[in-house]
């Protein structure tokens, strides 16, 4: 079985809501001295966190999507939030 190239999660951005990047789920990645291999579960966890956060703020129709910005074997996740 050939697994392919390994990618490392270097940074996470929450566009227009940069204060959320201080939350532990994002800060742990952004402040890491050594970046971890990318796992799809990170996307699921971050997505759920963002939806829960905006639902608690009263944005019940909030939707989130992400883009992946690749640079060599590093990637950045850029989250986009639509408050609905």
């Amino acid at each position: 079985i050939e697994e392919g190239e390994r990618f490392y999660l270097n940074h996470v951005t929450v566009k227009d809501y940069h204060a959320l990047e201080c939350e532990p789920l994002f800060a742990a990645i952004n402040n890491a001295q050594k970046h971890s291999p990318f796992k799809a579960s990170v996307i699921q966890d971050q997505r759920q966190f963002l939806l829960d956060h905006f639902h608690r703020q009263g944005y019940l129709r909030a939707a989130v999507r992400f883009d992946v910005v690749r640079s060599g074997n590093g990637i950045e996740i850029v989250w986009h939030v639509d408050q609905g």
Side-chain angles (χ1 to χ4, degrees):
I1 297 175
E2 192 170 315
E3 293 186 10
E5 190 174 354
R6 178 175 283 193
F7 292 95
Y8 294 87
L9 184 53
N10 295 337
H11 194 78
V12 179
T13 300
V14 184
K15 194 161 176 78
D16 299 326
Y17 298 96
H18 296 289
L20 290 175
E21 295 168 23
C22 295
E23 293 290 332
L25 191 63
F26 305 109
I29 295 165
N30 292 341
N31 298 331
Q33 296 294 321
K34 183 177 178 184
H35 300 292
S36 300
F38 173 73
K39 293 186 242 176
S41 63
V42 170
I43 296 290
Q44 295 168 348
D45 293 344
Q46 291 179 358
R47 179 183 181 280
Q48 192 60 54
F49 172 87
L50 290 169
L51 288 173
D52 290 347
H53 172 80
F54 284 97
H55 289 168
R56 282 192 307 273
Q57 302 299 314
Y59 299 103
L60 302 180
R61 295 180 184 220
V64 296
R65 68 175 182 81
F66 67 93
D67 293 320
V68 175
V69 179
R70 192 173 154 191
S71 177
N73 68 343
I75 60 172
E76 175 184 5
I77 302 298
V78 180
W79 286 99
H80 304 274
V81 178
D82 177 358
Q83 294 179 343

